[in-house]
Amino acid sequence: MKQTRLAWSGIGSGGARRTGTSPSATTSGGRGRLALSEAADVGVFAWTGVDRFGRKTGGEMLGPSSAAVRDALRRQGIAPRRVHRKRQAKRPGWWRGSRVGSADVALFSRQMATMMRAGVPLVRAFDVVAKSARNPRLVAVIHALRQNIAEGASLTSALAEFPAVFDSLYVNLIGVGERSGALEPMLERIATYQERTQSTRRKLVKAMTYPCVVVLAAAVVTMLLLIHVVPQFETVFAGVGADLPGFTRFVIGLSDNMRAQWPMLLGGVAGFVVGYTILNRRSARFRDIRDRCVLRLPVAGQIVVKAAVARFARTLTTSLSAGMPLVDALRAVVGTTGNVVYAKAIERLRDEVATGQPLAASMRDCQVFPHMIVQMVAIGEEAGSLDDMLARSATHYESLLDAAVDSLTALVEPLLMAILGVVVGGLVVAMYLPVFQLGTAFGG
């Protein structure tokens, strides 16, 4: 039986096409573009069948489902007999390929900008970038983009096929670059913007992750002591028959309750996590209340504000510098701040600016933007250099975010260590307090 590795042709039923290269992941019809939902689940399928000459054949094909692969084979003149998804060998870091993240897109943008600056044709650049990509789903998307462009599609329309990978801001900026004939500098600008946005996101994650990890570690250590260590001391104390100090009795009672009710506690934690996940996905009101509460937190709230303002200013200056109208730029900025409160505020800005109101006045009316950036925007509007003032504001708030994260880490680290020491030390003292009392009694 002849083994063949087929690519999706995307030429309808009017003929067949085979290739010995790695298959691209596109669907049938028109130019054979791959829909986003299919790209997210694309896999390798092994197949066997009979070609138009009656010969048994087989091979592998990328596709979103076995039914789609069967359809593609029939369009290429092959009657499929058996089609099944191949198991992919797990490699180090294989779990990272579960989705195409913003870091993957940022690296893709930088690599494409480098290829184009070196004079590499666009289709060839996709080949080179696909070979270096480690995320298998991103590789599938790149193959689809390459085939669409090779068949005559514009880069903008090809990217628009994958809105969960390339957001509206990305597609709009690429469209501006293509229309102005400045695709290479636009890719450079997008790559720089994404790298700075990634840096801001990492700082925000760092500020929030460290306290959570320490608190979780303290909770786990406390539970282990209460469940496994305290009962051992309780057995020893029961054999002595002496009255225990009140603090020791309290800790032993807490241990007994935790051991008796741990299924209920575990169920409560699981229910909280599940309920939070469901509400976060389905309830816009819940997300709004959550983000408003986050903004009111004493220290973390200010960090979130600085991060949201920095993202807003950086994204808006990138869009305006690319030549996008202000209203379109604001429309693209809505989903970039990472906070529902600021997203609603930017939607209000867009509507008011569309009616002719100055941006600075609209920002002042929203009452969620710091006074400094409002003043910078007002100066930029008056001087006709709004993008420059926004760039300066973005740099300023990114530096403020750096300082705030460093200050929070310096403040929280000793505080959490002290809390952890008090909790664990208190449990230890509670268990050894009767021993000290017995030693004193025997000594007396």
Side-chain angles (χ1 to χ4, degrees):
M1 180 178 66
K2 182 174 68 174
Q3 294 290 325
T4 308
R5 195 169 178 84
L6 293 182
W8 292 54
S9 67
I11 56 176
S13 59
R17 181 173 62 190
R18 304 187 182 187
T19 178
T21 61
S22 299
S24 60
T26 54
T27 57
S28 63
R31 285 175 175 156
R33 298 179 182 175
L34 182 67
L36 171 68
S37 59
E38 295 172 342
D41 298 324
V42 69
V44 180
F45 290 82
W47 58 271
T48 58
V50 178
D51 63 16
R52 65 185 66 187
F53 302 106
R55 295 175 299 189
K56 292 183 177 180
T57 184
E60 297 176 355
M61 177 182 287
L62 278 178
S65 66
S66 59
V69 171
R70 289 179 182 274
D71 290 341
L73 291 171
R74 292 190 186 99
R75 287 193 300 274
Q76 300 186 46
I78 297 173
R81 294 285 181 85
R82 184 170 182 266
V83 177
H84 66 279
R85 183 186 290 266
K86 291 187 63 178
R87 290 183 176 271
Q88 299 295 315
K90 294 180 180 180
R91 56 179 180 172
W94 62 273
W95 57 87
R96 297 176 184 173
S98 59
R99 58 184 293 271
V100 180
S102 55
D104 296 317
V105 178
L107 180 58
F108 164 80
S109 303
R110 175 59 66 190
Q111 290 174 330
M112 288 297 297
T114 303
M115 291 291 104
M116 296 197 66
R117 188 173 64 250
V120 179
L122 186 59
V123 173
R124 174 59 181 162
F126 279 122
D127 290 332
V128 175
V129 173
K131 290 178 182 178
S132 64
R134 300 185 63 183
N135 189 320
R137 298 197 180 192
L138 178 60
V139 172
V141 170
I142 294 174
H143 280 307
L145 293 174
R146 180 199 181 282
Q147 181 159 334
N148 291 341
I149 292 172
E151 293 172 353
S154 66
L155 179 58
T156 305
S157 61
L159 293 172
E161 299 280 333
F162 306 95
V165 180
F166 305 102
D167 57 22
S168 60
L169 174 63
Y170 194 105
V171 175
N172 289 336
L173 291 175
I174 291 295
V176 172
E178 282 193 311
R179 289 192 296 270
S180 63
L183 184 58
E184 175 195 333
M186 183 59 68
L187 279 169
E188 291 276 2
R189 183 173 295 162
I190 292 173
T192 301
Y193 159 74
Q194 290 183 320
E195 288 163 357
R196 289 179 176 175
T197 303
Q198 281 292 308
S199 176
T200 302
R201 184 178 290 110
R202 283 193 297 268
K203 293 166 189 172
L204 189 61
V205 171
K206 176 185 175 182
M208 301 303 173
T209 300
Y210 181 78
C212 294
V213 170
V214 175
V215 170
L216 180 61
V220 170
V221 170
T222 303
M223 290 180 62
L224 290 176
L225 289 174
L226 290 173
I227 293 174
H228 295 289
V229 178
V230 172
Q232 303 298 325
F233 282 89
E234 184 180 3
T235 303
V236 174
F237 296 152
V240 174
D243 291 335
L244 299 177
F247 186 37
T248 303
R249 292 198 303 270
F250 168 77
V251 172
I252 291 176
L254 187 62
S255 173
D256 292 339
N257 288 334
M258 184 166 290
R259 283 184 293 152
Q261 300 178 7
W262 71 265
M264 185 179 300
L265 293 174
L266 187 61
V269 172
F272 173 79
V273 172
V274 172
Y276 176 86
T277 303
I278 293 175
L279 287 173
N280 189 51
R281 289 180 178 177
R282 300 182 180 180
S283 174
R285 178 172 176 77
F286 173 79
R287 292 193 296 271
D288 182 68
I289 294 174
R290 176 202 63 192
D291 286 352
R292 290 185 184 278
C293 292
V294 168
L295 293 178
R296 292 190 178 99
L297 293 177
V299 178
Q302 288 302 309
I303 291 179
V304 173
V305 168
K306 291 179 176 65
V309 173
R311 289 174 179 174
F312 164 79
R314 181 64 63 191
T315 307
L316 191 56
T317 188
T318 301
S319 303
L320 294 176
S321 299
M324 291 179 62
L326 180 56
V327 174
D328 293 339
L330 288 170
R331 183 179 294 109
V333 171
V334 169
T336 64
T337 60
N339 187 282
V340 175
V341 176
Y342 278 91
K344 290 184 175 180
I346 296 170
E347 289 179 349
R348 175 180 171 182
L349 294 182
R350 180 197 62 200
D351 295 338
E352 292 182 355
V353 169
T355 62
Q357 186 168 343
L359 177 60
S362 300
M363 293 173 65
R364 190 178 297 109
D365 293 341
C366 288
Q367 298 181 349
V368 296
F369 293 96
H371 178 71
M372 179 196 164
I373 190 172
V374 175
Q375 291 300 108
M376 294 287 283
V377 169
I379 294 172
E381 286 185 310
E382 292 177 4
S385 57
L386 180 58
D387 54 346
D388 180 60
M389 285 300 175
L390 284 169
R392 294 174 184 271
S393 300
T395 302
H396 173 72
Y397 278 96
E398 287 165 355
S399 65
L400 289 180
L401 180 61
D402 285 341
V405 170
D406 293 339
S407 299
L408 178 65
T409 303
L411 174 66
V412 168
E413 184 172 356
L415 179 63
L416 291 179
M417 290 297 104
I419 293 174
L420 181 59
V422 168
V423 172
V424 176
L427 293 177
V428 172
V429 169
M431 292 301 98
Y432 279 98
L433 192 58
V435 178
F436 297 151
Q437 290 184 350
L438 288 175
T440 302
F442 286 130

